[in-house]
Amino acid sequence: SAIFSSFVDNIPFTATMIPVMVKMVETVDGISIEPLAWALALGACFGGNGTLIGASANIVMVSKAEVEGFHISFIDFFKVGFPLMMLSVAIATVYLLIANAIFWQSSAGE
């Protein structure tokens, strides 16, 4: 979800993916909604930081910077934002793997 949220506004993407997650949980044995929901939320949130168009706040920030005389192009933002987004998603993935093993795996399929 992070890669898609970098290039598509994360609210419509998240809203589109929720029914997909629910259907997966209903049809596939052993899957619980909690890790999927957290993965979607974190991916959409952090993914928005990857590109200039990934989140509305990025566009507002670049507009304010432009008014103050600082030009930030899509490529300039991407060079910094995308690697930082990948790092934050990697950290979130480790967190989710640990949380899944501790909290959610035991309740999967209930």
Side-chain angles (χ1 to χ4, degrees):
S1 63
I3 301 294
F4 286 117
S5 287
S6 288
F7 296 98
V8 177
D9 190 17
N10 37 7
I11 294 172
F13 175 76
T14 302
T16 302
M17 290 306 296
I18 289 172
V20 174
M21 283 187 338
V22 171
K23 190 67 171 174
M24 283 176 59
V25 170
E26 291 172 352
T27 58
V28 179
D29 290 334
I31 295 181
S32 61
I33 193 79
E34 290 90 353
L36 295 177
W38 275 105
L40 178 62
L42 291 171
C45 180
F46 292 140
N49 298 327
T51 65
L52 183 59
I53 60 173
S56 302
N58 300 347
I59 296 169
V60 171
M61 180 274 309
V62 167
S63 297
K64 296 297 266 181
E66 192 76 36
V67 167
E68 297 297 323
F70 299 99
H71 176 73
I72 302 171
S73 71
F74 182 90
I75 296 298
D76 292 336
F77 192 97
F78 185 81
K79 286 178 184 177
V80 175
F82 200 81
L84 288 174
M85 181 267 303
M86 293 299 286
L87 177 63
S88 61
V89 168
I91 293 168
T93 300
V94 171
Y95 166 77
L96 287 173
L97 289 170
I98 293 167
N100 185 54
I102 295 171
F103 301 113
W104 302 314
Q105 195 61 40
S106 61
S107 63
E110 291 179 3

